[in-house]
Amino acid sequence: MTVSTVSIDSAFFLQAFSELAAIGRDPSGQGYQRLAWSEAEREAHRWFRDRAQQLGLTVWSDAAGNSFADLESQAHRPALAIGSHLDTVPYGGAYDGGYGVVGALATAEAIQRSGLKLARPLRICAFTDEEGPRFGTGLLGSKAVAGTLDMELVRRAQDRQGTTLKEAMARFDLDLEDLPSAAQTQPNFWGYIELHIEQGPRLEQRHIRTAAVTAITGIRQVSLHFVGKTNHAGTTPKPDRRNALRAAAETIARFSPWVDGQEELVANPGQITVHPNAANVVPGDVRLDWDVRSPDPIRLNTAVQHLMAVAEDVSRPFHITVESQIFHDVPPCPMHRDWVEAVQTAADRLQFSCDRLVSWAGHDAGVLGRVMPAAMIFIPSRAGVSHAPEEYSTDEAMLDGVQLLAQTAADLLTQEEKS
Ligand SMILES: [Zn+2]
């Protein structure tokens, strides 16, 4: 195999990153408001397409509002896709998503300048609505490309102001009913590599410059509905109290230590709704929502079943019934083994330390990785903070990641076609 070396233009990357960082800042100065289908997010997409056009890339977009830019070569072959998303959570940071898109632009610039003979096109992707807080439709853009979008869910989607997703898309001349057509381009994707900040503390703590992600966690969200009997807090005799909140609390107290003793598993009791929610009333109706994550499908199943069993066990003595419902389910997605190796090989060549990490956050790569080879590169996040204005990675760390992406992409793009 011939070894091709590329080197990124640091000034190009930093300049482009600062241009994107000017779009969608919250007026208070506290982070970003580039929510999906906002003016700011669409402006970021326009900026991306303009920037890519200046590089001479072929710019296009699809029915999901995703933006793409192709560095053409051997157009009959499917493209190596690289990129991330341009939307943020409310009061989000400048790095989550945007870093990967700008890093992909700098990679295309480096590969174009290198004059390497490419065996296939390189495609930069800027996906729509990865985060999903506005409409509850996270990973919308990549799901549309993967053909795994739940159209029932997106038809029902509306934000807190009552604006439907259909209306929000129509403002930008897109028709919600056209979303499935975005999957038509999928055969034209060879695979996908996403560059991203870690959003956790592991790389910083271990003083490691980069990571190849081995798997993206599965996420299962479970709602436990405890039904007891609403009654007077003072006059109800102790043996007759059917306090649903007490059963919910016992569930948290019993299940959480079990999770602490498990490998590759996290579980978060994150939301509780108590009815009627008054100090002088024995609550007869409580909903407790959990978020359970594991990169291992068997561990994930076992944990969710155990959670439901614990809830029933602790409820029985209080004469409380429990109904469990899974309301969000994303299966774990292993990254492609050969591509994880490709990232490692490139890191070795660059003499960058490179860890192997599971991603405990969801990503577009976890959606596309179900229908095509996928890989991810992580760089350190300061203090592991993300989805907050304090989100930060140094320029040096960002440039490391871009250089690693460029080298990995160059290696894969110059690979001889297997006959
Ligand atoms: Zn992200």
Side-chain angles (χ1 to χ4, degrees):
M1 196 181 92
T2 51
V3 173
S4 344
T5 321
V6 284
S7 52
I8 58 159
D9 180 341
S10 305
F12 173 89
F13 169 80
L14 293 171
Q15 167 65 27
F17 189 76
S18 72
E19 288 170 19
L20 176 61
I23 303 173
R25 272 181 197 276
D26 186 76
S28 70
Q30 288 293 302
Y32 287 81
Q33 301 287 357
R34 283 203 307 263
L35 270 74
W37 309 109
S38 63
E39 258 314 318
E41 189 234 14
R42 290 294 103 189
E43 190 189 334
H45 277 262
R46 281 192 295 275
W47 170 83
F48 164 74
R49 292 195 294 262
D50 287 349
R51 221 32 173 113
Q53 211 145 32
Q54 287 165 22
L55 285 177
L57 307 181
T58 308
V59 172
W60 53 287
S61 55
D62 69 8
N66 297 318
S67 302
F68 302 98
D70 289 0
L71 175 59
E72 313 252 20
S73 178
Q74 311 285 332
H76 58 289
R77 292 200 178 123
L80 171 64
I82 57 174
S84 195
H85 57 97
L86 289 171
D87 62 314
T88 68
V89 295
Y91 303 100
Y95 301 79
D96 179 358
Y99 166 53
V101 174
V102 179
L105 270 173
T107 291
E109 189 281 331
I111 288 177
Q112 189 177 43
R113 184 164 37 80
S114 73
L116 289 172
K117 194 172 170 299
L118 308 184
R120 54 180 71 251
L122 175 66
R123 172 167 305 147
I124 311 176
C125 313
F127 288 110
T128 307
D129 197 8
E130 191 270 348
E131 301 285 4
R134 184 171 169 201
F135 291 105
T137 49
L139 304 162
L140 179 118
S142 53
K143 280 184 175 173
V145 171
T148 55
L149 207 56
D150 178 348
M151 282 304 285
E152 287 302 300
L153 186 94
V154 298
R155 283 190 189 111
R156 282 199 309 267
Q158 56 175 24
D159 68 12
R160 283 196 194 130
Q161 280 71 46
T163 305
T164 63
L165 176 58
K166 189 175 174 64
E167 289 162 350
M169 288 180 70
R171 272 178 212 158
F172 299 99
D173 298 322
L174 291 165
D175 184 348
L176 179 134
E177 293 301 327
D178 288 343
L179 277 171
S181 72
Q184 284 166 10
T185 60
Q186 192 205 113
N188 201 6
F189 284 72
W190 181 42
Y192 176 66
I193 308 178
E194 182 163 356
L195 172 65
H196 209 279
I197 55 167
E198 185 202 336
Q199 305 181 279
R202 294 169 293 179
L203 288 177
E204 186 185 66
Q205 283 170 0
R206 297 174 195 169
H207 305 287
I208 295 178
R209 290 165 83 173
T210 60
V213 173
T214 53
I216 296 176
T217 187
I219 305 172
R220 206 166 289 174
Q221 290 174 339
V222 187
S223 186
L224 301 175
H225 185 198
F226 298 86
V227 180
K229 180 88 181 112
T230 302
N231 210 336
H232 196 287
T235 61
T236 311
K238 277 183 186 162
D240 298 342
R241 288 173 187 242
R242 296 169 60 198
N243 187 323
L245 180 55
R246 190 159 166 197
E250 297 266 353
T251 304
I252 298 172
R254 176 105 56 103
F255 186 64
S256 302
W258 179 82
V259 172
D260 292 344
Q262 302 290 311
E263 301 270 315
E264 295 201 306
L265 178 73
V266 294
N268 180 55
Q271 189 169 23
I272 194 157
T273 317
V274 179
H275 185 79
N277 207 21
N280 61 353
V281 184
V282 174
D285 193 296
V286 169
R287 262 174 213 281
L288 172 63
D289 292 350
W290 288 79
D291 178 297
V292 185
R293 300 182 182 218
S294 175
D296 176 351
I298 296 169
R299 282 178 203 277
L300 191 57
N301 268 334
T302 308
V304 169
Q305 277 167 15
H306 186 53
L307 170 61
M308 292 173 177
V310 166
E312 284 186 19
D313 260 19
V314 302
S315 297
R316 213 168 288 122
F318 303 111
H319 304 287
I320 283 163
T321 58
V322 192
E323 261 175 56
S324 313
Q325 197 202 345
I326 294 168
F327 63 95
H328 181 69
D329 195 4
V330 183
C333 182
M335 297 288 90
H336 194 271
R337 205 186 307 154
D338 295 350
W339 287 28
V340 174
E341 283 309 321
V343 171
Q344 182 75 56
T345 305
D348 290 348
R349 187 122 45 84
L350 293 164
Q351 297 183 307
F352 288 177
S353 49
C354 184
D355 210 345
R356 303 276 174 116
L357 293 181
V358 164
S359 171
W360 291 99
H363 292 289
D364 293 312
V367 170
L368 293 171
R370 304 190 68 76
V371 294
M372 63 182 77
M376 279 194 89
I377 295 168
F378 276 172
I379 61 155
S381 293
R382 184 174 68 190
V385 175
S386 183
H387 282 189
E390 296 78 28
E391 187 178 270
Y392 179 74
S393 294
T394 62
D395 288 353
E396 205 182 12
M398 287 203 286
L399 292 167
D400 281 355
V402 179
Q403 184 60 52
L404 180 53
L405 173 65
Q407 190 58 58
T408 308
D411 291 347
L412 290 169
L413 286 166
T414 51
Q415 245 174 36
E416 297 303 318
E417 198 76 357
K418 288 196 183 104
S419 53

